Amino acid sequence: MAREDGRGPDQLRPVKITRSWLAHAEGSVLVEFGGTKVLCAASVQDSVPRWRRGSGLGWITAEYAMLPRATNTRSDRESVRGKIGGRTHEISRLIGRSLRACVDYKALGENSIVLDCDVLQADGGTRTAAITGAYVALADAIAWMRKRKMCPGDPLVNSVAAVSVGIVGATPLLDLCYTEDVAAETDMNVVMTGTGEFVEVQGTAEGVPFDRSTLDALLDLAATGCTELTLRQRESLS
Amino acid sequence: MAREDGRGPDQLRPVKITRSWLAHAEGSVLVEFGGTKVLCAASVQDSVPRWRRGSGLGWITAEYAMLPRATNTRSDRESVRGKIGGRTHEISRLIGRSLRACVDYKALGENSIVLDCDVLQADGGTRTAAITGAYVALADAIAWMRKRKMCPGDPLVNSVAAVSVGIVGATPLLDLCYTEDVAAETDMNVVMTGTGEFVEVQGTAEGVPFDRSTLDALLDLAATGCTELTLRQRESLS
Amino acid sequence: MAREDGRGPDQLRPVKITRSWLAHAEGSVLVEFGGTKVLCAASVQDSVPRWRRGSGLGWITAEYAMLPRATNTRSDRESVRGKIGGRTHEISRLIGRSLRACVDYKALGENSIVLDCDVLQADGGTRTAAITGAYVALADAIAWMRKRKMCPGDPLVNSVAAVSVGIVGATPLLDLCYTEDVAAETDMNVVMTGTGEFVEVQGTAEGVPFDRSTLDALLDLAATGCTELTLRQRESLS
Amino acid sequence: MAREDGRGPDQLRPVKITRSWLAHAEGSVLVEFGGTKVLCAASVQDSVPRWRRGSGLGWITAEYAMLPRATNTRSDRESVRGKIGGRTHEISRLIGRSLRACVDYKALGENSIVLDCDVLQADGGTRTAAITGAYVALADAIAWMRKRKMCPGDPLVNSVAAVSVGIVGATPLLDLCYTEDVAAETDMNVVMTGTGEFVEVQGTAEGVPFDRSTLDALLDLAATGCTELTLRQRESLS
Amino acid sequence: MAREDGRGPDQLRPVKITRSWLAHAEGSVLVEFGGTKVLCAASVQDSVPRWRRGSGLGWITAEYAMLPRATNTRSDRESVRGKIGGRTHEISRLIGRSLRACVDYKALGENSIVLDCDVLQADGGTRTAAITGAYVALADAIAWMRKRKMCPGDPLVNSVAAVSVGIVGATPLLDLCYTEDVAAETDMNVVMTGTGEFVEVQGTAEGVPFDRSTLDALLDLAATGCTELTLRQRESLS
Amino acid sequence: MAREDGRGPDQLRPVKITRSWLAHAEGSVLVEFGGTKVLCAASVQDSVPRWRRGSGLGWITAEYAMLPRATNTRSDRESVRGKIGGRTHEISRLIGRSLRACVDYKALGENSIVLDCDVLQADGGTRTAAITGAYVALADAIAWMRKRKMCPGDPLVNSVAAVSVGIVGATPLLDLCYTEDVAAETDMNVVMTGTGEFVEVQGTAEGVPFDRSTLDALLDLAATGCTELTLRQRESLS
């Protein structure tokens, strides 16, 4: 089965990571996975949430959102509706957990970093692009802090990258674009460290439940994708 | 490592499924996984959401919530705070997706079933107990509908059950209670069909990222647990 | 006029008070008035609201809510709608006021007790069952506190119980079930102390305004009911 | 015990009912009970809420609110806080129920009347002043409708008036002002028809529970007050 | 073109300023511009918002709202809808900015004054009436403070008044009533000090964009109106 | 007085208009006024709001928002706070009114265009950049509609552009950047058509009230700026 953009089943879309896209943020990245564009801003705060004060430990949190016309059809703003939808909540939490996996809170000291991931244009894989880009913004923000000697140690103990995989028409595919995502029977988002361990594995049978061998094939594919993305992050940061 | 309640690492807590716990609901179950008690109510509606009208297809949805004193420390009501938290949203969506995996929408006709899963007492695994109990409530509600000839066919094409697994002190454990859940380095919720396929796999590295062999061990353990829970569901329904 | 469940006009429905229904709460009761089931949890907090700090006095508050499928037809969750309805507010306030009538704030010290009354199943009289059950949960919570020497004195100076009365088809009836409540011309909720004084009297002409002799008959009936409920509370607590 | 404004215990404060205070409303009244000033506006709508459509019956509803500086200390606006407080809800519901007691829905036809009662200045008894004034605004609105032949019959079958009574320092007092209200051990709001029946009786023990003879004394006093207020309403309308 | 109430194009409607309309507020005014009636209450607080603490400077803020039946057709309460509309926000901010223009924060000391402007009846020009009346209430509140020696100096350094102007059928008109406002092609609200400078100029082309000469004519007219209103304020305060 | 970026007092910052920045929107522009970057998306809908149905007329509306890290310090998301702030409301309304001034509703037919203006980076003048960019996005969306013959005529009857002007240190300056905006005594936003008429004039004395000659100088400066911006819009569209 040919993919609509001519990629092989185990090929990523063109990945573009533009650092320092914003003037004010301590770290900022415009990350593109094909037609998906996410603006990631890392904001440093020299304080931690109330429940963590006095612990000597830092904190990392994330907020994900989509501009109303990021998608093919305009969707209402969550600020206008007055509440945040379940999907937004879920993805914000996933991004936060993922990035916390590569940070040493003690070395960070009692500082916080907020990662705002705003989808400017959506074509599938917005959460995985957000995690992959947010890591680079986080690395820049931490470099900014270290230059100012804000941290007692080096808080960045690893890197994280994320990719989506799925079964479309019985074939396992890497990095689904929107039309593939809609057609997928099974859909999985995988977050891995730069050293190849899993941080998050979220697989969902959209239509037909899947067996263990399918799961294994998808995990293999995801590992390939994350390895490749880790390389792109390193190139971008060097 | 001994578990605090003396269980083996691959043993479920005592499971209790009490059907028809409520007088009004078309299907209702009080499900207990050890100290975790979830009241699952299935409500039949002879209509579908607007976006599905005229399709001839049914719909299944779920809402999860926790009573303020289900937990060791009282938490504020979401109705009083005026908004639903991210965790609640996320679990409601998970339960809905899980149960949709065992239903044939066409055979259901243009009817909806809402599954309300209210945690009366929490001791770990509330979402997996909710899914396991909600399936039984759903089966009862569908039987109620079929007796009234509301469905064009038999909508129940499979069963679903769910269990949590995790790594505590390097040991993979099945069906974590609250203290184990808090101590877990890696935590995974797995939803499987009665025929042994995966519906949802959600693994999270709480502390240390995990490798593929750990993931494999956890999936094996979860499969054992879901097989056992499927048996309990069948016994309860027969 | 015969009542649908064969009771005499001045007879209560079967009352069942199950203490310690929840593992975590300092006091908890599942109270049943016939088909009405309310779960009452008393949560002790060693602090008081801001406006009361430094006064040396304690505080008692209550929150009432109904599960979506407590009723014959499913109702939307208040947390999902994003606001609490007037009826919920009104009943929460009534329960709080009622229980405050049997507590000596000075003897309680600067501690608070929150009473959560969640209706699991509704068949009329949910607020009166809630008050009657919450008193027992409160007594248990206060006993728990006294064992831990948290209170400067004995805060429990009386008991409270509540019952509904109404005129259905010209006959005054005690403890209305749902179908009687709907049919009632006049409906009254009465909260009394264990020593026979009134705490709250709330009478409403649903259809036809009522005269003084009707009011008197209803108050007599309510006094009978509250005396009986006080006995049940004492039996349960001994 | 002398009252601070020199009234006898069974005397109302000066009552002033100014009709047609607003230019746009179909009925409007500025009602004053001493220092309490409530602006009551009756708005006619030629439709009914959805659940009542096609029934041939009308509907009456009410909304109560207080300006931020009606009270001695400024309170926050409920619109700014984003939610309506329990007290506001409770009083709005009370006013609605009270006025529905004097209306024949069939004679009203499928029309609605909304009664907005906005407290411009508060000095105790705002809810009872609101009910007493809203009745006059309602009567004017119904006259306006009948002139336009909007109603199939005469919807006004009775009148309603309301007054507060309470025990202050062991003495039963009529029509409590703010300082008396704060000092009251027992507080009761009574709504009566022009023909002397009860519509609502809401008695609350603020401090000490009260016995039947106290209740009887308060009801007697309230009946006196409502009779007097009914006279004032008639004078105002003639 | 004759105006419906017989005024000349450069004539204000009858202006009425009633001071001390409320008993509790430190300053209060019922201001009337023809059929427009706004109740302005100034509330003194001996504190400032958090961001201003320790600065030695005071603060002035305002809130504007409309009663539901101030208008010809009843509108929903913002408290019931759960959010404040854009128009309300915009006008509240305008009133606050306008009044801050005549206050010396240093002379005010760390005190705040909140100006509540509630429209009881609307017939065009509610925001300009609110500003004009709120100034008088502010002056009274400041006098009240100075009598109590709360202010380090005299905070009132100028006065402000406001008026609307517009082009209706090619003629520039002063102080538009509602029907004129609806018919206006261009509509401008102008806030000026008692010494003749501009504080706010807000002109909007409702239909046809306007040229500089039209703008000049409207500004001239507004200056005339504000001069006249300043006189009325002085008369009222003397 | 030299400006920090070396501009003359009547000089605009570098203006950059990038069309078709988004793949999905019918019209989209990334507009830059120096460091201010606003993403404007025009979304076409073949329907109108309810109150306009059946009129044969179209509608234009706008929503303005700022990303959390558009500014120097991170601000909370309005979706998370659950309500839209007054400033956001005010600017959204201004943009909508401004763009409606260049559209013939009849020629548009019963179609709507929503203009989403999201500030990605803020350095003063975000609202004027938004209006100037949104006009270009609107023109593209209308061209898209006309190609598909959705409009009965040509809805674009004029163009609009906007600029800020202000008095900083007694000098009138064009197109204020953030530091100038903060320092300005008087601040004015002016929206003009491509043919030189005014659509909106909003002047505010931030500190000292201003006289007529200052107002005149600012209007002259604004006219210069809008003429220049109109040219840039034309170049971009040709």
Side-chain angles (χ1 to χ4, degrees), chain A residues 22-26 43 63 65 67-71 74 77 79-80 84 114 116 118 120-122, chain F residues 22-26 43 63 65 67-71 74 77 79-80 84 114 116 118 120-122:
Chain A
L22 293 172
H24 303 306
E26 287 74 34
S43 299
E63 288 184 10
L67 293 196
R69 198 54 201 278
T71 44
R74 185 180 185 274
R77 281 175 198 271
S79 59
V80 170
I84 292 182
V114 185
D116 285 293
D118 286 89
L120 306 185
Q121 190 170 288
Chain F
L22 294 172
H24 303 306
E26 286 75 33
S43 298
E63 289 184 10
L67 293 196
R69 199 53 202 279
T71 45
R74 185 179 186 274
R77 283 175 196 271
S79 60
V80 169
I84 291 182
V114 185
D116 286 293
D118 286 89
L120 305 186
Q121 190 168 287

Short mmCIF file of all heavy atoms in Angstrom, two decimals, chain A residues 22-26 43 63 65 67-71 74 77 79-80 84 114 116 118 120-122, chain F residues 22-26 43 63 65 67-71 74 77 79-80 84 114 116 118 120-122:
data_model
loop_
_atom_site.label_atom_id
_atom_site.label_comp_id
_atom_site.label_asym_id
_atom_site.label_seq_id
_atom_site.Cartn_x
_atom_site.Cartn_y
_atom_site.Cartn_z
N LEU A 22 10.57 32.50 19.10
CA LEU A 22 9.97 33.62 19.84
C LEU A 22 11.05 34.45 20.54
O LEU A 22 12.05 33.89 20.99
CB LEU A 22 9.01 33.09 20.90
CG LEU A 22 7.75 32.39 20.40
CD1 LEU A 22 7.02 31.75 21.57
CD2 LEU A 22 6.83 33.40 19.70
N ALA A 23 10.82 35.73 20.65
CA ALA A 23 11.82 36.62 21.23
C ALA A 23 11.85 36.57 22.76
O ALA A 23 12.89 36.72 23.37
CB ALA A 23 11.54 38.06 20.79
N HIS A 24 10.68 36.38 23.40
CA HIS A 24 10.62 36.55 24.85
C HIS A 24 10.92 35.27 25.64
O HIS A 24 11.47 35.32 26.73
CB HIS A 24 9.25 37.07 25.27
CG HIS A 24 8.87 38.36 24.63
ND1 HIS A 24 9.64 39.49 24.67
CD2 HIS A 24 7.77 38.71 23.89
CE1 HIS A 24 9.04 40.47 24.01
NE2 HIS A 24 7.91 40.02 23.53
N ALA A 25 10.51 34.11 25.11
CA ALA A 25 10.61 32.86 25.90
C ALA A 25 12.06 32.44 26.10
O ALA A 25 12.91 32.68 25.25
CB ALA A 25 9.83 31.75 25.20
N GLU A 26 12.32 31.79 27.25
CA GLU A 26 13.69 31.34 27.55
C GLU A 26 14.11 30.22 26.61
O GLU A 26 15.30 30.03 26.35
CB GLU A 26 13.78 30.90 29.01
CG GLU A 26 13.76 32.06 29.99
CD GLU A 26 12.37 32.69 30.15
OE1 GLU A 26 11.37 31.95 30.08
OE2 GLU A 26 12.28 33.93 30.33
N SER A 43 8.88 28.49 29.53
CA SER A 43 8.94 29.67 30.40
C SER A 43 9.51 29.29 31.75
O SER A 43 8.98 28.42 32.44
CB SER A 43 7.54 30.26 30.60
OG SER A 43 6.99 30.68 29.38
N GLU A 63 1.20 22.81 28.92
CA GLU A 63 -0.16 23.08 28.45
C GLU A 63 -0.20 22.99 26.93
O GLU A 63 0.59 23.62 26.25
CB GLU A 63 -0.63 24.47 28.92
CG GLU A 63 -0.90 24.48 30.41
CD GLU A 63 -1.46 25.81 30.92
OE1 GLU A 63 -1.81 26.66 30.09
OE2 GLU A 63 -1.53 25.96 32.15
N ALA A 65 -2.63 23.30 23.43
CA ALA A 65 -3.85 23.90 22.91
C ALA A 65 -3.76 23.97 21.40
O ALA A 65 -2.69 23.80 20.82
CB ALA A 65 -4.05 25.30 23.48
N LEU A 67 -5.01 26.29 17.96
CA LEU A 67 -5.69 27.48 17.44
C LEU A 67 -6.97 27.03 16.73
O LEU A 67 -7.02 25.93 16.18
CB LEU A 67 -4.78 28.23 16.47
CG LEU A 67 -3.53 28.88 17.05
CD1 LEU A 67 -2.95 29.90 16.06
CD2 LEU A 67 -3.82 29.62 18.36
N PRO A 68 -7.99 27.87 16.74
CA PRO A 68 -9.28 27.46 16.18
C PRO A 68 -9.18 26.99 14.72
O PRO A 68 -9.88 26.09 14.30
CB PRO A 68 -10.14 28.74 16.26
CG PRO A 68 -9.45 29.65 17.17
CD PRO A 68 -8.03 29.23 17.32
N ARG A 69 -8.29 27.63 13.95
CA ARG A 69 -8.24 27.23 12.54
C ARG A 69 -7.00 26.41 12.22
O ARG A 69 -6.53 26.41 11.08
CB ARG A 69 -8.35 28.47 11.62
CG ARG A 69 -8.73 28.09 10.20
CD ARG A 69 -10.01 27.25 10.17
NE ARG A 69 -10.21 26.45 8.99
CZ ARG A 69 -10.70 26.85 7.84
NH1 ARG A 69 -11.07 28.10 7.70
NH2 ARG A 69 -10.83 26.05 6.83
N ALA A 70 -6.47 25.71 13.22
CA ALA A 70 -5.38 24.78 12.96
C ALA A 70 -5.88 23.61 12.11
O ALA A 70 -5.11 22.97 11.41
CB ALA A 70 -4.81 24.25 14.27
N THR A 71 -7.16 23.36 12.21
CA THR A 71 -7.75 22.18 11.57
C THR A 71 -8.50 22.56 10.31
O THR A 71 -8.71 23.73 10.02
CB THR A 71 -8.73 21.52 12.55
OG1 THR A 71 -9.50 22.57 13.14
CG2 THR A 71 -7.98 20.79 13.65
N ARG A 74 -13.04 24.98 11.25
CA ARG A 74 -12.78 25.79 12.43
C ARG A 74 -13.47 25.19 13.65
O ARG A 74 -14.63 24.80 13.59
CB ARG A 74 -13.30 27.22 12.22
CG ARG A 74 -12.97 28.14 13.35
CD ARG A 74 -13.49 29.54 13.12
NE ARG A 74 -13.03 30.40 14.20
CZ ARG A 74 -13.66 30.54 15.37
NH1 ARG A 74 -14.79 29.91 15.58
NH2 ARG A 74 -13.15 31.29 16.33
N ARG A 77 -13.14 28.14 20.29
CA ARG A 77 -12.09 28.33 21.28
C ARG A 77 -12.53 27.79 22.63
O ARG A 77 -13.66 28.04 23.05
CB ARG A 77 -11.80 29.83 21.48
CG ARG A 77 -10.96 30.43 20.44
CD ARG A 77 -10.81 31.94 20.62
NE ARG A 77 -10.36 32.48 19.35
CZ ARG A 77 -9.08 32.59 19.01
NH1 ARG A 77 -8.15 32.26 19.88
NH2 ARG A 77 -8.74 33.03 17.83
N SER A 79 -11.48 28.93 25.40
CA SER A 79 -11.66 30.09 26.28
C SER A 79 -13.07 30.65 26.13
O SER A 79 -13.66 31.15 27.08
CB SER A 79 -10.63 31.17 25.97
OG SER A 79 -10.74 31.60 24.63
N VAL A 80 -13.63 30.57 24.92
CA VAL A 80 -14.98 31.09 24.67
C VAL A 80 -16.01 30.14 25.27
O VAL A 80 -16.99 30.55 25.89
CB VAL A 80 -15.21 31.31 23.16
CG1 VAL A 80 -16.66 31.60 22.86
CG2 VAL A 80 -14.31 32.43 22.64
N ILE A 84 -12.10 23.61 29.30
CA ILE A 84 -11.12 22.86 28.54
C ILE A 84 -11.66 21.48 28.28
O ILE A 84 -12.19 20.83 29.19
CB ILE A 84 -9.82 22.80 29.37
CG1 ILE A 84 -9.21 24.19 29.44
CG2 ILE A 84 -8.85 21.81 28.79
CD1 ILE A 84 -7.92 24.23 30.19
N VAL A 114 7.42 25.93 32.50
CA VAL A 114 6.13 25.64 31.87
C VAL A 114 6.35 25.51 30.38
O VAL A 114 6.95 26.39 29.77
CB VAL A 114 5.12 26.78 32.10
CG1 VAL A 114 3.75 26.39 31.55
CG2 VAL A 114 5.03 27.13 33.57
N ASP A 116 4.51 25.55 26.93
CA ASP A 116 3.28 25.81 26.20
C ASP A 116 3.43 25.29 24.78
O ASP A 116 4.31 25.72 24.04
CB ASP A 116 3.00 27.31 26.16
CG ASP A 116 2.50 27.81 27.49
OD1 ASP A 116 1.38 27.42 27.85
OD2 ASP A 116 3.22 28.56 28.17
N ASP A 118 1.44 25.11 21.44
CA ASP A 118 0.26 25.58 20.72
C ASP A 118 0.32 25.12 19.28
O ASP A 118 1.24 25.48 18.54
CB ASP A 118 0.17 27.11 20.82
CG ASP A 118 -0.27 27.54 22.21
OD1 ASP A 118 0.59 27.73 23.09
OD2 ASP A 118 -1.49 27.65 22.42
N LEU A 120 -0.34 25.34 15.70
CA LEU A 120 -0.73 26.38 14.73
C LEU A 120 -1.40 25.73 13.52
O LEU A 120 -2.30 26.31 12.92
CB LEU A 120 0.51 27.18 14.29
CG LEU A 120 1.35 27.81 15.41
CD1 LEU A 120 2.47 28.66 14.80
CD2 LEU A 120 0.50 28.67 16.32
N GLN A 121 -0.95 24.54 13.18
CA GLN A 121 -1.54 23.80 12.06
C GLN A 121 -1.48 22.32 12.37
O GLN A 121 -0.45 21.83 12.83
CB GLN A 121 -0.78 24.12 10.78
CG GLN A 121 -1.47 23.60 9.53
CD GLN A 121 -0.81 24.15 8.28
OE1 GLN A 121 -0.93 25.33 7.94
NE2 GLN A 121 -0.09 23.30 7.60
N ALA A 122 -2.59 21.63 12.12
CA ALA A 122 -2.69 20.22 12.53
C ALA A 122 -2.83 19.32 11.32
O ALA A 122 -3.69 19.54 10.46
CB ALA A 122 -3.90 20.04 13.44
N LEU F 22 -1.23 29.55 6.58
CA LEU F 22 -1.87 28.30 7.03
C LEU F 22 -2.44 27.53 5.86
O LEU F 22 -2.93 28.13 4.89
CB LEU F 22 -3.01 28.61 8.01
CG LEU F 22 -2.62 29.23 9.36
CD1 LEU F 22 -3.87 29.65 10.11
CD2 LEU F 22 -1.84 28.21 10.19
N ALA F 23 -2.40 26.21 5.95
CA ALA F 23 -2.85 25.37 4.84
C ALA F 23 -4.38 25.27 4.75
O ALA F 23 -4.94 25.18 3.67
CB ALA F 23 -2.27 23.96 4.99
N HIS F 24 -5.06 25.27 5.91
CA HIS F 24 -6.49 24.96 5.88
C HIS F 24 -7.41 26.16 5.70
O HIS F 24 -8.46 26.06 5.10
CB HIS F 24 -6.88 24.23 7.18
CG HIS F 24 -6.11 22.99 7.45
ND1 HIS F 24 -6.00 21.95 6.56
CD2 HIS F 24 -5.38 22.60 8.54
CE1 HIS F 24 -5.25 20.98 7.08
NE2 HIS F 24 -4.86 21.35 8.28
N ALA F 25 -7.02 27.33 6.25
CA ALA F 25 -7.93 28.48 6.26
C ALA F 25 -8.15 29.03 4.85
O ALA F 25 -7.26 28.98 4.01
CB ALA F 25 -7.38 29.56 7.17
N GLU F 26 -9.35 29.58 4.62
CA GLU F 26 -9.68 30.13 3.31
C GLU F 26 -8.85 31.40 3.03
O GLU F 26 -8.60 31.75 1.88
CB GLU F 26 -11.18 30.43 3.22
CG GLU F 26 -12.02 29.17 3.08
CD GLU F 26 -12.14 28.38 4.37
OE1 GLU F 26 -12.15 29.00 5.45
OE2 GLU F 26 -12.20 27.14 4.33
N SER F 43 -12.07 32.20 8.29
CA SER F 43 -12.80 30.95 8.07
C SER F 43 -14.18 31.25 7.49
O SER F 43 -14.97 31.98 8.09
CB SER F 43 -12.98 30.20 9.40
OG SER F 43 -11.73 29.85 9.94
N GLU F 63 -12.31 37.05 16.56
CA GLU F 63 -11.84 36.68 17.89
C GLU F 63 -10.34 36.92 18.00
O GLU F 63 -9.58 36.48 17.16
CB GLU F 63 -12.17 35.21 18.20
CG GLU F 63 -13.65 35.00 18.41
CD GLU F 63 -14.02 33.59 18.80
OE1 GLU F 63 -13.11 32.80 19.10
OE2 GLU F 63 -15.23 33.28 18.80
N ALA F 65 -6.88 36.72 20.50
CA ALA F 65 -6.33 36.04 21.68
C ALA F 65 -4.82 36.15 21.63
O ALA F 65 -4.25 36.50 20.61
CB ALA F 65 -6.75 34.58 21.71
N LEU F 67 -1.19 34.08 22.77
CA LEU F 67 -0.56 32.90 23.34
C LEU F 67 0.06 33.28 24.68
O LEU F 67 0.48 34.42 24.87
CB LEU F 67 0.52 32.35 22.40
CG LEU F 67 0.04 31.77 21.07
CD1 LEU F 67 1.15 30.93 20.44
CD2 LEU F 67 -1.19 30.90 21.23
N PRO F 68 0.15 32.31 25.62
CA PRO F 68 0.63 32.64 26.97
C PRO F 68 2.03 33.26 26.98
O PRO F 68 2.32 34.12 27.79
CB PRO F 68 0.67 31.27 27.67
CG PRO F 68 -0.13 30.35 26.86
CD PRO F 68 -0.29 30.91 25.50
N ARG F 69 2.88 32.83 26.06
CA ARG F 69 4.23 33.37 26.10
C ARG F 69 4.48 34.35 24.95
O ARG F 69 5.62 34.54 24.52
CB ARG F 69 5.27 32.26 26.09
CG ARG F 69 6.65 32.74 26.59
CD ARG F 69 6.51 33.41 27.94
NE ARG F 69 7.59 34.31 28.27
CZ ARG F 69 8.78 33.96 28.75
NH1 ARG F 69 9.06 32.70 28.96
NH2 ARG F 69 9.68 34.87 29.04
N ALA F 70 3.43 35.00 24.46
CA ALA F 70 3.62 36.08 23.48
C ALA F 70 4.31 37.27 24.15
O ALA F 70 4.97 38.06 23.48
CB ALA F 70 2.27 36.50 22.92
N THR F 71 4.14 37.35 25.45
CA THR F 71 4.63 38.52 26.18
C THR F 71 5.91 38.20 26.94
O THR F 71 6.31 37.05 27.03
CB THR F 71 3.56 38.96 27.19
OG1 THR F 71 3.08 37.79 27.83
CG2 THR F 71 2.40 39.64 26.50
N ARG F 74 5.13 35.22 31.15
CA ARG F 74 4.05 34.31 30.77
C ARG F 74 2.75 34.69 31.48
O ARG F 74 2.74 34.96 32.68
CB ARG F 74 4.42 32.88 31.16
CG ARG F 74 3.39 31.88 30.69
CD ARG F 74 3.76 30.46 31.06
NE ARG F 74 2.81 29.55 30.45
CZ ARG F 74 1.64 29.21 31.00
NH1 ARG F 74 1.30 29.68 32.17
NH2 ARG F 74 0.81 28.40 30.37
N ARG F 77 -3.50 31.09 30.57
CA ARG F 77 -4.44 30.92 29.47
C ARG F 77 -5.86 31.27 29.91
O ARG F 77 -6.27 30.85 30.99
CB ARG F 77 -4.47 29.46 29.01
CG ARG F 77 -3.31 29.06 28.17
CD ARG F 77 -3.33 27.58 27.86
NE ARG F 77 -2.00 27.23 27.38
CZ ARG F 77 -1.64 27.31 26.10
NH1 ARG F 77 -2.52 27.65 25.18
NH2 ARG F 77 -0.41 27.03 25.75
N SER F 79 -8.45 29.97 28.65
CA SER F 79 -9.21 28.71 28.68
C SER F 79 -9.02 28.02 30.02
O SER F 79 -9.93 27.37 30.52
CB SER F 79 -8.76 27.79 27.55
OG SER F 79 -7.37 27.50 27.67
N VAL F 80 -7.86 28.17 30.62
CA VAL F 80 -7.60 27.54 31.91
C VAL F 80 -8.31 28.31 33.02
O VAL F 80 -8.91 27.72 33.92
CB VAL F 80 -6.07 27.46 32.17
CG1 VAL F 80 -5.77 27.05 33.61
CG2 VAL F 80 -5.42 26.49 31.19
N ILE F 84 -12.94 34.74 29.68
CA ILE F 84 -12.24 35.66 28.80
C ILE F 84 -12.15 37.01 29.50
O ILE F 84 -13.13 37.49 30.06
CB ILE F 84 -13.03 35.78 27.48
CG1 ILE F 84 -12.92 34.47 26.74
CG2 ILE F 84 -12.52 36.93 26.65
CD1 ILE F 84 -13.62 34.48 25.42
N VAL F 114 -15.34 34.27 9.89
CA VAL F 114 -14.79 34.47 11.23
C VAL F 114 -13.31 34.78 11.09
O VAL F 114 -12.59 34.05 10.41
CB VAL F 114 -14.92 33.21 12.10
CG1 VAL F 114 -14.45 33.51 13.53
CG2 VAL F 114 -16.33 32.70 12.10
N ASP F 116 -9.95 34.92 13.05
CA ASP F 116 -9.21 34.60 14.28
C ASP F 116 -7.86 35.29 14.23
O ASP F 116 -7.06 35.04 13.32
CB ASP F 116 -9.01 33.09 14.39
CG ASP F 116 -10.28 32.39 14.78
OD1 ASP F 116 -10.74 32.60 15.91
OD2 ASP F 116 -10.85 31.67 13.94
N ASP F 118 -4.63 35.60 16.36
CA ASP F 118 -3.88 35.07 17.51
C ASP F 118 -2.49 35.70 17.55
O ASP F 118 -1.70 35.51 16.62
CB ASP F 118 -3.80 33.55 17.42
CG ASP F 118 -5.15 32.92 17.77
OD1 ASP F 118 -5.98 32.75 16.86
OD2 ASP F 118 -5.36 32.65 18.96
N LEU F 120 1.08 35.77 18.32
CA LEU F 120 2.14 34.80 18.63
C LEU F 120 3.25 35.49 19.41
O LEU F 120 3.89 34.91 20.27
CB LEU F 120 2.70 34.20 17.34
CG LEU F 120 1.69 33.55 16.39
CD1 LEU F 120 2.43 32.87 15.23
CD2 LEU F 120 0.83 32.53 17.11
N GLN F 121 3.48 36.78 19.10
CA GLN F 121 4.50 37.55 19.82
C GLN F 121 4.03 38.99 19.91
O GLN F 121 3.53 39.55 18.93
CB GLN F 121 5.82 37.46 19.06
CG GLN F 121 6.98 38.03 19.85
CD GLN F 121 8.31 37.67 19.19
OE1 GLN F 121 8.75 36.53 19.22
NE2 GLN F 121 8.92 38.65 18.57
N ALA F 122 4.17 39.58 21.08
CA ALA F 122 3.60 40.91 21.32
C ALA F 122 4.71 41.92 21.59
O ALA F 122 5.56 41.70 22.45
CB ALA F 122 2.67 40.86 22.52
#
